[in-house]
Amino acid sequence: MTYENLNIAFNNGIALVTITREKALNALNTQTMLELQHFFSTDAYNHEGLKGVILTGAGEKAFVAGADITEFKGLSASEGQALAQRGQDVFFLVERFPKPVVAAVNGFALGGGCELAMACHLRVAGEKAKFGQPEVNLGLIPGYGGTQRLIQYIGKTKATELLMTADIIGATEAHQLGLVNYVVPSGAEIEKATELIEKIASKAPVAIANIISSVNAYFAENVDGFAFEVDAFGACCHTEDFQEGATAFLEKRKAVFTGK
Ligand code: DAK
């Protein structure tokens, strides 16, 4: 696929994916969603030695200022439902990607942009970043998982308030609420995200993939997370990396993992 709205740069095993609709504050139109879907279902899997993915927005103003409002005027109920389902499916691809996906939030993360950041495994916010779910201002509710993931991150009390008031919060408050992992000076988001991915890349890849799926299992419908963890633990025991990790500990040396 030729990407029109994503710039993808692989550097030392890290994919830096930049949404490049700066004039529209990187709003998620249909094409951008298709490109994200394609990347997280094919190219990201096909890149040998990938350590992780950083998602960010072009320019200094916005990570993503929401779904593209110009596209969803006049949708029927069934069209809206179909669009929400497709969007949720794309964000599940991000959330279920077996390597770390870090959002480098460099500005507005509103509506679908906040939802995209929440679908990532970790979030690094620049100090000028702003978060919110302002859909009720448009007579809508979040459709890409925002009502669910916001509660998962910050709890029902504050999430309900933000969802109903459409209030926008800054990076420091987002950090205090547990919505973001780190706040860094503006411009240092990608550096911090890279540091996180490099740290995670020094661990056993199969274990990391099983952390991601086990954490996701906590929130999945009809899944016993504890039983899931037992199976995931078993899967790790079966790996060469577990043998290497345990042996390296006993030999008092640093483990060298191969992902097998
Ligand atoms: N969509 C399209 N264009 C957008 C946009 C958006 N979400 N946000 C900004 N832009 C465009 C503006 O229209 C403007 O375009 P031009 O006029 O220059 O052509 C350009 O980006 C710069 O924006 P502003 O001139 O407004 O810049 P300011 O600094 O004055 O304000 C702002 C920045 C972020 C506060 C403001 O742009 C703003 O309030 N933007 C909208 C934020 C918002 O409400 N986001 C959408 C949340 S709703 C659905 C599923 C999901 C969703 C919807 C439906 N279905 C399944 C149906 C999700 C919806 C959302 O995300």
Side-chain angles (χ1 to χ4, degrees):
M1 173 181 229
T2 307
Y3 294 102
E4 288 171 25
N5 298 332
L6 298 184
N7 183 285
I8 297 164
F10 291 97
N11 186 12
N12 192 26
I14 297 178
L16 175 60
V17 177
T18 307
I19 298 169
T20 56
R21 301 190 71 226
E22 190 176 346
K23 284 193 179 146
L25 303 188
N26 305 315
L28 298 171
N29 62 358
T30 306
Q31 178 64 23
T32 309
M33 291 296 274
L34 284 172
E35 292 180 16
L36 284 170
Q37 178 179 33
H38 185 81
F39 178 75
F40 280 102
S41 55
T42 57
D43 291 348
Y45 280 93
N46 293 340
H47 191 85
E48 208 175 315
L50 186 75
K51 295 173 182 166
V53 179
I54 299 172
L55 261 183
T56 195
E60 292 178 3
K61 203 163 162 184
F63 171 69
V64 168
D68 192 317
I69 296 171
T70 59
E71 280 190 352
F72 56 72
K73 211 170 155 224
L75 286 178
S76 69
S78 60
E79 286 168 336
Q81 252 180 308
L83 199 70
Q85 187 60 62
R86 280 206 299 275
Q88 288 196 8
D89 290 346
V90 174
F91 286 12
F92 277 131
L93 286 175
V94 177
E95 189 169 59
R96 292 171 186 166
F97 192 65
K99 312 235 161 150
V101 183
V102 183
V105 184
N106 50 314
F108 290 110
L110 304 179
C114 189
E115 291 172 299
L116 178 59
M118 291 193 291
C120 297
H121 305 128
L122 301 168
R123 283 150 296 288
V124 174
E127 55 198 3
K128 290 192 200 139
K130 302 240 181 276
F131 296 82
Q133 298 288 163
E135 284 86 349
V136 290
N137 288 337
L138 303 168
L140 283 175
I141 69 164
Y144 295 159
T147 61
Q148 305 303 295
R149 290 196 182 93
L150 194 60
I151 296 171
Q152 293 170 3
Y153 288 118
I154 70 174
K156 184 177 174 184
T157 303
K158 195 66 188 175
T160 308
E161 180 189 335
L162 293 183
L163 290 163
M164 293 203 297
T165 60
D167 280 353
I168 296 198
I169 59 171
T172 305
E173 187 174 357
H175 185 238
Q176 285 161 352
L177 289 170
L179 185 56
V180 303
N181 298 81
Y182 292 95
V183 180
V184 297
S186 293
E189 301 89 349
I190 289 170
E191 189 185 331
K192 182 67 191 177
T194 302
E195 183 190 313
L196 280 168
I197 291 180
E198 289 291 359
K199 184 187 268 193
I200 295 165
S202 71
K203 319 298 178 196
V206 175
I208 295 301
N210 278 287
I211 290 286
I212 291 169
S213 56
S214 297
V215 169
N216 288 340
Y218 178 85
F219 299 105
E221 210 183 324
N222 299 325
V223 174
D224 177 342
F226 285 96
F228 190 98
E229 185 188 271
V230 166
D231 290 344
F233 182 87
C236 291
C237 289
H238 201 60
T239 62
E240 289 177 20
D241 278 347
F242 168 55
Q243 300 304 326
E244 164 63 7
T247 307
F249 175 79
L250 296 173
E251 291 175 356
K252 300 191 187 306
R253 63 172 173 82
K254 200 171 179 316
V256 180
F257 296 118
T258 58
K260 291 182 190 150

